[in-house]
Amino acid sequence: MTPDAAADVLPAGVLFADVVGQDVAIEQLRAAARAPVHGYLLVGPPGLGQKALARGFAAALLCPEGGCGHCNVCRRALSGVHPDLVEVERVGAALSVGQAQDIVAKAQRRPMEAGRQVIVVSDLHTARVAAPVLLKTLEEPADTTVFVLLADLVPPELATVASRCVRIDLTPVAPDVLGSWLAGRGVEEAQVAELVRASGGSPERAALLAADPQLAARRALWREVPARLDGTGAAAAALATELLASAEDATEPLRVRHAEELEHLAAEAEAAGQRGIAGRKEIEERQRREQRRWRMDELRAGLAVLAGAYRDRMESGSVEPRADERLAALMAAVAAVEEATRELVRNPNELLMLEALLVRLSTVPA
Ligand SMILES: [Zn+2]
């Protein structure tokens, strides 16, 4: 059977079994695997199954049957251990020039086993300085190398790199799709709606939150903020510390998963007779990055709850005396929370930012 014919009869979902709600992207990748070009750029917010998509695509590109889903090649590609699947994670805050040079060198290599090799590069949006190094390889690629670049977004510095690739957009998973997926995993109906709201369309985040018994308590803490602000700076400061600590607690299920990942890798390394986990430092650095990002997502979700708490107050107080004045204060409160949410992305000191916000909100009538 030719790879093309195999791809056509491939049972849907085998290669992408772990991906939720990205049917359009999967269809594009399956079509692309039949006659691949040298570069693909997957663009979308984190937590949408990027790694699983890249591995499924790699399996389709490396498998002699075009991605049968169960041969040895497919299985190794799907678990990220095929020698012709190269996965590059940034080490520091950004993908560095040194890492980009390393990618260029790897791109010139011949495949070890398969007819081609697949190089997956995560967090390409951070490669603002390193982008020119990658550009030349993307313009004159080895004909046996296929790039799969992953990015949260495409900043202007990366427009040229992006233009050398076929772009595939990933979108937050629709609430109803995410909801039925969660229900299918045994999440109770009452919890599904809360998880859908708190996850921002990310199945990865929703699944971790589902394993998190403290979610409801953390949401309640944010909802109570207006009532707990008594107009003093001391109350605002104490509450800011409490909110930040609760966001830190929220990373616990992720930390547990990370510890399991390291244990699993250590067992694999031992079984293979290796003395330790290859690239352990990079893996731990990525885990720390994921934990930071998780805390940020948690703060963002909390701020959304807080904005909602002020919006609810707008609807409830319309018949009170001085209603107009109160409404204006509540609208200003919502605007201040939204502004803080945008500031969060620019990564300021989170505690100072929260304190400043809460001091500002202290003047708003609860
Ligand atoms: Zn296969």
Side-chain angles (χ1 to χ4, degrees):
M1 199 188 298
T2 66
D4 285 6
D8 286 334
V9 299
L10 191 86
V14 172
L15 293 185
F16 301 99
D18 295 336
V19 182
V20 186
Q22 300 297 335
D23 295 358
V24 176
I26 288 173
E27 212 34 65
Q28 287 173 302
L29 290 173
R30 282 160 56 84
R34 288 170 208 145
V37 296
H38 63 273
Y40 295 86
L41 176 63
L42 274 54
V43 183
L48 299 180
Q50 278 86 344
K51 179 172 267 185
L53 280 165
R55 287 184 176 177
F57 186 40
L61 292 171
L62 298 177
C63 168
E65 303 263 325
C68 66
H70 47 72
C71 75
N72 187 269
V73 173
C74 282
R75 273 189 282 121
R76 282 185 295 155
L78 291 175
S79 33
V81 295
H82 193 288
D84 290 320
L85 167 58
V86 179
E87 294 181 310
V88 183
E89 306 255 359
R90 68 186 155 100
V91 177
L95 193 86
S96 67
V97 171
Q99 279 193 291
Q101 286 163 342
D102 191 40
I103 292 167
V104 170
K106 284 187 173 128
Q108 306 308 320
R109 281 191 330 207
R110 307 297 302 170
M112 306 221 190
E113 289 182 17
R116 52 172 79 102
Q117 67 169 346
V118 181
I119 300 183
V120 180
V121 182
S122 299
D123 292 332
L124 187 82
H125 56 278
T126 66
R128 297 175 189 212
V129 182
V133 180
L134 289 176
L135 193 58
K136 197 160 162 43
T137 304
L138 287 167
E139 282 170 341
E140 300 162 19
D143 56 4
T144 49
T145 296
V146 176
F147 277 100
V148 181
L149 309 174
L150 309 176
D152 292 2
L153 62 156
V154 180
E157 301 90 324
L158 285 167
T160 322
V161 165
S163 72
R164 300 298 184 271
C165 301
V166 172
R167 175 170 170 153
I168 293 179
D169 284 299
L170 311 178
T171 48
V173 178
D176 56 330
V177 176
L178 192 54
S180 23
W181 178 71
L182 286 166
R185 288 169 60 99
V187 175
E188 282 174 35
E189 207 183 312
Q191 209 195 348
V192 166
E194 171 86 60
L195 288 174
V196 167
R197 257 198 311 278
S199 64
S202 157
E204 284 171 30
R205 191 169 158 74
L208 274 167
L209 287 173
D212 180 357
Q214 297 305 318
L215 173 65
R218 294 200 309 274
R219 292 295 169 271
L221 180 64
W222 284 93
R223 256 191 304 272
E224 285 163 12
V225 166
R228 285 185 55 187
L229 290 171
D230 61 5
T232 68
L239 197 47
T241 305
E242 199 179 331
L243 289 168
L244 202 59
S246 99
E248 191 61 43
D249 290 346
T251 63
E252 187 53 32
L254 186 62
R255 289 175 193 276
V256 170
R257 178 183 284 192
H258 282 159
E260 286 167 359
E261 183 188 8
L262 283 176
E263 267 171 38
H264 177 73
L265 289 170
E268 272 185 351
E270 202 185 320
Q274 291 156 0
R275 285 184 59 201
I277 301 170
R280 182 177 186 120
K281 191 166 152 268
E282 285 77 11
I283 293 166
E284 286 177 338
E285 178 60 35
R286 175 192 30 92
Q287 292 186 337
R288 275 194 292 277
R289 226 167 34 235
E290 285 178 9
Q291 287 163 16
R292 273 199 298 277
R293 182 141 75 189
W294 185 262
R295 199 183 58 216
M296 193 83 93
D297 283 351
E298 179 65 24
L299 286 172
R300 198 174 294 139
L303 287 167
V305 170
L306 181 55
Y310 283 110
R311 277 200 199 91
D312 290 348
R313 282 166 166 75
M314 285 182 199
E315 284 157 24
S316 63
S318 55
V319 291
E320 290 173 15
R322 301 173 70 192
D324 288 353
E325 215 172 289
R326 184 168 187 273
L327 190 62
L330 290 170
M331 282 169 70
V334 171
V337 176
E338 285 170 348
E339 193 191 320
T341 310
R342 284 192 296 275
E343 248 176 70
L344 200 59
V345 181
R346 292 197 290 270
N347 203 11
N349 180 318
E350 290 156 359
L351 183 61
L352 284 182
M353 188 216 76
L354 267 181
E355 275 180 15
L357 173 66
L358 295 187
V359 165
R360 209 166 148 190
L361 295 178
S362 294
T363 59
V364 179

